[in-house]
Amino acid sequence: MNLIFLVVLPLVVALAVSTAMTIHYRRKYTTVVNEVAVLHQQLANTHSEISSQAPLSQSSKKSKPSNPASMNDEELFQYLSEGILREKLFLSPYFGRSDVVNHFHINKNRVSAAFSKGSSHCSVSDFIRKCRLDYARQLMISEPQMSLVDVASNSGFIHATTFSTDFKSHYGLTPTQFREQSLKT
């Protein structure tokens, strides 16, 4: 009898502990599932609220036509360039045509035409490069202690060498020469 008691008792205890742990973890699992369901519902509510609002880029327009699809190339370029500049989208190092398409919800061919035919820029990337260079130039004037690597980075350039090459090509001076010249005046 003692032998049966010694063998069965540990099994009963192990079964009781296992059952208690199962109940505990099922309760935790149910709680987590319920919390996830609540968060999912809150996210869905937030998404529907955001979707029902007009996009920022359209709601902040003043005298522009309400539908970019009805704009000619010059008007569309004006609309897109104002949005890019106002929101400083060009400061993102990888910002390009596909980002303009996604941000403004306009067909890629219309975007390309707006920049190539509706402006003096050859392409979206040409416009973005000019915005970055203008921003870098202003940054060098307003923050003369900032390193040129930081100026390049803060202006949306991935590589400082690309920044220097583009800067010299656009302004006729290297960034260093420009900074020295601007400090003299």
Side-chain angles (χ1 to χ4, degrees):
M1 180 81 141
N2 280 340
L3 183 60
I4 293 176
F5 185 70
L6 290 173
V7 171
V8 173
L9 183 62
L11 291 174
V12 171
V13 170
L15 181 61
V17 168
S18 174
T19 303
M21 289 178 66
T22 301
I23 291 170
H24 172 75
Y25 284 112
R26 277 190 185 160
R27 285 183 188 152
K28 273 197 163 295
Y29 174 77
T30 303
T31 302
V32 168
V33 167
N34 290 338
E35 289 173 359
V36 168
V38 168
L39 290 172
H40 186 312
Q41 186 60 43
Q42 289 173 343
L43 181 62
N45 292 343
T46 303
H47 183 269
S48 64
E49 288 173 17
I50 291 172
S51 297
S52 67
Q53 298 173 354
L56 174 64
S57 58
Q58 290 184 7
S59 65
S60 60
K61 293 186 299 180
K62 293 181 181 161
S63 62
K64 299 283 180 212
S66 62
N67 183 4
S70 67
M71 297 177 189
N72 64 34
D73 290 336
E74 292 82 11
E75 291 170 334
L76 184 58
F77 168 74
Q78 191 68 30
Y79 169 75
L80 295 173
S81 64
E82 286 174 1
I84 291 168
L85 291 169
R86 179 182 56 253
E87 298 178 39
K88 296 185 179 179
L89 300 173
F90 61 90
L91 294 178
S92 175
Y94 297 101
F95 186 75
R97 183 180 71 168
S98 62
D99 299 298
V100 173
V101 167
N102 293 333
H103 187 81
F104 294 98
H105 308 289
I106 299 173
N107 175 289
K108 67 179 181 177
N109 295 328
R110 286 282 290 137
V111 169
S112 293
F115 283 86
S116 64
K117 297 176 185 171
S119 75
S120 61
H121 301 281
C122 299
S123 63
V124 176
S125 59
D126 182 47
F127 173 76
I128 293 168
R129 185 179 309 107
K130 177 153 179 4
C131 291
R132 289 176 178 160
L133 289 169
D134 289 345
Y135 187 84
R137 184 177 162 274
Q138 290 302 321
L139 201 55
M140 285 191 287
I141 292 169
S142 65
E143 303 286 336
Q145 75 286 356
M146 186 180 285
S147 75
L148 292 177
V149 171
D150 288 342
V151 168
S153 171
N154 289 330
S155 302
F157 287 92
I158 298 169
H159 303 288
T161 54
T162 304
F163 163 63
S164 293
T165 303
D166 288 353
F167 194 92
K168 180 163 185 172
S169 174
H170 187 73
Y171 292 110
L173 299 169
T174 66
T176 304
Q177 291 168 333
F178 175 81
R179 175 171 275 168
E180 289 170 356
Q181 187 178 21
S182 66
L183 290 174
K184 290 178 185 175
T185 57

